[in-house]
Amino acid sequence: MGWQTNRILETIGTATGGTQSINYNLEAIEALMVTLQADVADGIRPPNSTTGGTGPTDFTSTSYGTIATASTGRLGCTIFNSGPGNLHVMLGTATASTSAFTVRLSSGDYYEVPSNYTGLIGGIFATAGTAEVTQLS
């Protein structure tokens, strides 16, 4: 039995109450620890952990453009429309337009891309505008 399993059992303590007893499945705990260690070795991070980011960068295109390239290392992306125009954002490889988009951001709007989305993010301003884009990794 590894030291991690012993530490888990120490933390949990003995769980008994009256005539009920909880038996710990040590094999299942050890298997979980092996899986977690393998995940860490493979670079898989726990949910919501970040090591850095890029940005903010400006997006100002009045023709379709890339807001953020696809990135398997991206944990999140935020977009803030700081300019006067409406920004039409498209998640995926389809081309965004003022009539086909995932979300439209008016001046002052803020959007958080879904946390597990790592694909292409594109967009287009209907009229001149500026958006601040921050990617978390």
Side-chain angles (χ1 to χ4, degrees):
M1 186 174 350
W3 70 269
Q4 297 94 342
T5 304
N6 288 333
R7 181 70 181 130
I8 290 171
L9 292 176
E10 288 172 10
T11 302
I12 294 173
T14 304
T16 59
T19 59
Q20 291 182 314
S21 292
I22 298 175
N23 295 318
Y24 300 108
N25 186 338
L26 296 179
E27 290 179 12
I29 293 172
E30 284 183 325
L32 174 61
M33 293 306 300
V34 169
T35 301
L36 292 173
Q37 288 171 337
D39 286 349
V40 170
D42 289 339
I44 298 173
R45 294 176 284 223
N48 302 322
S49 69
T50 63
T51 58
T54 60
T57 58
D58 289 344
F59 178 80
T60 60
S61 184
T62 55
S63 60
Y64 175 80
T66 298
I67 294 174
T69 59
S71 172
T72 57
R74 181 173 60 226
L75 296 177
C77 183
T78 65
I79 304 168
F80 175 70
N81 185 357
S82 59
N86 288 332
L87 173 60
H88 300 81
V89 177
M90 177 66 80
L91 301 182
T93 57
T95 301
S97 70
T98 57
S99 60
F101 52 87
T102 302
V103 64
R104 182 186 71 204
L105 303 177
S106 299
S107 180
D109 285 351
Y110 169 81
Y111 177 64
E112 288 185 2
V113 175
S115 62
N116 291 321
Y117 181 73
T118 59
L120 178 70
I121 304 169
I124 182 173
F125 272 101
T127 60
T130 301
E132 310 295 327
V133 180
T134 302
Q135 294 193 73
L136 305 173
S137 57

